[in-house]
Amino acid sequence: MESRAIYPGSFDPITYGHVDIIERGFQVFDEIIIAVLENPKKEPLFSTKERVAMIRGIYADRDNIKVMTFKGLLVDFVQAQKARVVIRGLRAISDFEYELQMALMNRNLAPDVETFFMMPSVKYSFLSSNLVREVALLGGSVTELVPELVARRLSQKIKRSTRR
Ligand code: ADP
């Protein structure tokens, strides 16, 4: 049987940290569904549509990667996709408390859904979408932090917002 995992997040935008986790995920799973959260609390830089389009662009030639959006409870989405595993990335220790809380809450809600934690390469351990947005908005280079397509979209977005 093919094993399928769900990798949920905001992906605002997707970074090499996420890409690293996805590639590691394939050491264990046959198919990964990247699940883009539709209504994050904070105002995103990229709309859901833009975030999904970037991820689809990066993985256009991969038929074992699906990109979907979800809202509401993650465990409901996981079960609707007939999956049982949620992949989460763990960076520096700061991620741990929040991730543990979420994983245990999700287990409470759906005991047969497991959370699978993976550590990225050390080089991406301090990388976050938040940091990428900040560096890009301040005019710094993000070419080593995100796929080329994302770097292009970031600079287009920034040009547009500074023109206003
Ligand atoms: P959110 O911040 O809304 O949880 P993100 O899009 O930031 O969602 O991240 C989705 C998942 O990817 C989370 O599990 C997060 O810990 C993980 N992640 C994000 N950046 C990295 C990175 N640089 N290395 C490893 N995991 C990461």
Side-chain angles (χ1 to χ4, degrees):
M1 213 177 91
E2 299 264 296
S3 60
R4 170 181 298 161
I6 310 291
Y7 182 35
S10 310
F11 304 102
D12 185 32
I14 187 167
T15 70
Y16 278 143
H18 297 119
V19 169
D20 182 282
I21 295 295
I22 292 161
E23 291 315 323
R24 283 173 205 284
F26 278 111
Q27 311 268 2
V28 184
F29 304 102
D30 302 312
E31 188 195 354
I32 295 179
I33 299 179
I34 302 175
V36 179
L37 183 61
E38 262 202 57
N39 53 354
K41 281 173 255 156
K42 36 198 171 161
E43 184 71 16
L45 177 63
F46 291 100
S47 68
T48 311
K49 250 192 175 159
E50 291 172 318
R51 286 180 272 151
V52 167
M54 281 187 277
I55 305 173
R56 289 205 174 125
I58 293 162
Y59 293 115
D61 57 346
R62 299 279 290 267
D63 54 10
N64 50 0
I65 295 180
K66 266 209 219 161
V67 189
M68 299 179 76
T69 61
F70 79 102
K71 44 186 161 186
L73 283 179
L74 173 63
V75 289
D76 290 343
F77 177 79
V78 173
Q79 288 170 331
Q81 296 309 314
K82 306 210 176 337
R84 298 186 58 173
V85 178
V86 172
I87 296 177
R88 294 291 288 176
L90 270 187
R91 287 163 290 195
I93 29 174
S94 50
D95 276 340
F96 183 75
E97 196 176 344
Y98 173 69
E99 291 292 340
L100 181 69
Q101 265 183 15
M102 280 231 302
L104 293 177
M105 180 52 75
N106 284 337
R107 178 179 286 164
N108 231 6
L109 294 167
D112 53 358
V113 170
E114 286 297 336
T115 305
F116 191 89
F117 290 108
M118 304 196 87
M119 275 71 72
S121 156
V122 176
K123 40 178 207 237
Y124 302 128
S125 282
F126 294 93
L127 180 56
S128 67
S129 299
N130 200 1
L131 197 62
V132 165
R133 289 197 304 271
E134 249 172 66
V135 171
L137 286 168
L138 296 172
S141 165
V142 293
T143 51
E144 285 179 9
L145 312 178
V146 296
E148 205 196 316
L149 173 75
V150 176
R152 277 205 306 272
R153 294 284 174 275
L154 271 166
S155 65
Q156 288 165 354
K157 171 112 353 205
I158 288 154
K159 264 187 223 141
R160 222 170 291 143
S161 66
T162 49
R163 233 186 275 145
R164 264 187 221 141

